[in-house]
């Protein structure tokens, strides 16, 4: 049976090597064209820190790339930060902070966090990985970068628990077509599986599955970033885990 292009299966042995060799020419030839012809969206307006709700204190940090920053919607209230704070503030007094920038890879996000020196927090939610996949970062290197990020958040910043967002089903992004869709989709799925495995060794970290259905109707106009409905699903997934783990 031929491989399913919509739900990539794991690649093993020689096929994995073949995939890595095939990925880079595809990215170098088609990737720049897609980037040049994609609508460039701005980060949404709105506060990036604040306090909301009543009850038990819950300190929250959100960090990552354009998705964590809310690209794809017009205001932070529609983005991950606004929707997640809205859900948690029904059960706690949430002191929150957002540190995210469009285009950041995992090491860039870590550098940004080090420069920003965020406040100590009970929980952090991270959203990273797609830029690393597209830029051709080796999986082993990326996992080391994720470990460094977790170490900084937990050991240096003092985060009690980190909720690491899984990579979304990139193979369903409307903007990606043909060979690039196949190459990036398989690679993102492989990164996410490895991320889940790596996080099993980190008791202070939890994987947030990206299980939402992705199609043109729920994505932003650029066909690459989340729309409001995707941010809603993401916020609910994160909130369910945080509420359960902290008995809110």
């Amino acid at each position: 049976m031929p491989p399913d292009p919509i739900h990539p299966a794991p690649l093993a042995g020689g096929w994995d090597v073949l995939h890595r060799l095939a990925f880079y020419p595809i990215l170098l030839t088609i990737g720049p064209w897609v980037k040049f012809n994609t609508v460039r969206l701005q980060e949404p307006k709105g506060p990036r820190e604040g306090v909301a709700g009543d009850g038990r204190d819950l300190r929250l940090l959100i960090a990552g790339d354009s998705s964590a920053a809310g690209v794809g919607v017009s205001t932070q209230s529609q983005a991950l930060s606004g929707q997640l704070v809205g859900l948690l503030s029904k059960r706690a007094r949430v002191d929150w902070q957002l540190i995210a920038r469009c285009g950041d890879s995992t090491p860039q996000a870590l550098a940004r966090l080090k420069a920003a020196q965020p406040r100590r927090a009970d929980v952090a939610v991270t959203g990273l990985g797609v830029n690393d996949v597209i830029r051709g970062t080796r999986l082993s290197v990326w996992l080391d970068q994720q470990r460094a990020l977790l170490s900084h958040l937990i050991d240096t910043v003092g985060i009690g628990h980190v909720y690491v967002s899984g990579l979304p089903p990139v193979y369903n992004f409307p903007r990606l077509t043909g060979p690039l869709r196949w190459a990036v989709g398989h690679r993102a799925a492989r990164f996410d599986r490895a991320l889940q495995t790596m996080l099993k060794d980190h008791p202070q970290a939890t994987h947030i599955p990206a299980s939402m259905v992705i199609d043109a109707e729920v994505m932003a106009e650029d066909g690459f970033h989340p729309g409001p409905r995707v941010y809603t699903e993401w916020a609910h997934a994160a909130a369910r885990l945080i509420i359960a783990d902290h008995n809110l």
Side-chain angles (χ1 to χ4, degrees):
M1 181 180 294
D4 182 352
I6 305 302
H7 300 91
L11 296 170
W15 283 107
D16 185 40
V17 175
L18 179 61
H19 173 251
R20 291 201 305 269
L21 292 174
F23 171 77
Y24 295 102
I26 291 172
L27 183 62
L28 290 173
T29 56
I30 302 177
W33 183 89
V34 171
K35 183 176 181 180
F36 180 78
N37 289 278
T38 298
V39 177
R40 288 169 172 77
L41 302 179
Q42 301 298 314
E43 294 182 9
K45 299 178 180 179
R48 293 193 170 220
E49 61 181 325
V51 178
D54 297 298
R56 285 176 48 190
D57 288 334
L58 180 71
R59 297 164 299 177
L60 167 68
L61 171 66
I62 300 172
D65 56 21
S66 58
S67 59
V71 173
V73 294
S74 56
T75 66
Q76 286 293 341
S77 63
Q78 299 172 295
L80 174 66
S81 64
Q83 297 206 47
L84 179 56
V85 170
L87 292 168
L88 295 176
S89 64
K90 295 177 182 179
R91 298 169 176 264
R93 179 181 180 273
V94 184
D95 184 346
W96 64 278
Q97 185 176 13
L98 169 65
I99 301 175
R101 179 67 60 86
C102 183
D104 272 4
S105 60
T106 298
Q108 288 174 321
L110 175 55
R112 193 173 305 283
L113 283 166
K114 289 179 177 179
Q117 297 183 338
R119 302 184 294 271
R120 183 176 180 180
D122 303 295
V123 296
V125 176
T126 65
L128 288 160
V130 174
N131 290 327
D132 304 90
V133 166
I134 291 175
R135 294 175 187 178
T137 303
R138 289 175 54 194
L139 176 57
S140 60
V141 172
W142 182 68
L143 291 176
D144 285 343
Q145 293 168 347
Q146 284 285 320
R147 292 185 187 98
L149 177 65
L150 287 174
S151 177
H152 179 74
L153 288 172
I154 294 169
D155 300 331
T156 303
V157 180
I159 305 296
H161 200 96
V162 182
Y163 295 85
V164 182
S165 302
L167 277 74
V170 176
Y171 41 81
N172 282 339
F173 281 13
R175 191 67 192 94
L176 301 180
T177 58
L180 188 63
R181 177 173 179 259
W182 179 87
V184 178
H186 272 281
R187 203 158 192 271
R190 180 168 170 259
F191 271 49
D192 191 55
R193 288 191 297 270
L195 178 65
Q196 292 181 58
T197 300
M198 183 268 283
L199 291 176
K200 292 178 181 178
D201 296 328
H202 293 268
Q204 287 178 266
T206 299
H207 181 266
I208 305 175
S211 56
M212 70 284 289
V213 176
I214 296 294
D215 56 33
E217 292 185 1
V218 302
M219 295 292 281
E221 63 176 310
D222 66 351
F224 194 82
H225 287 95
R229 287 166 56 186
V230 177
Y231 283 121
T232 297
E233 291 286 340
W234 187 4
H236 276 273
R240 281 193 293 268
L241 291 170
I242 294 171
I243 289 169
D245 289 347
H246 292 79
N247 299 312
L248 295 179

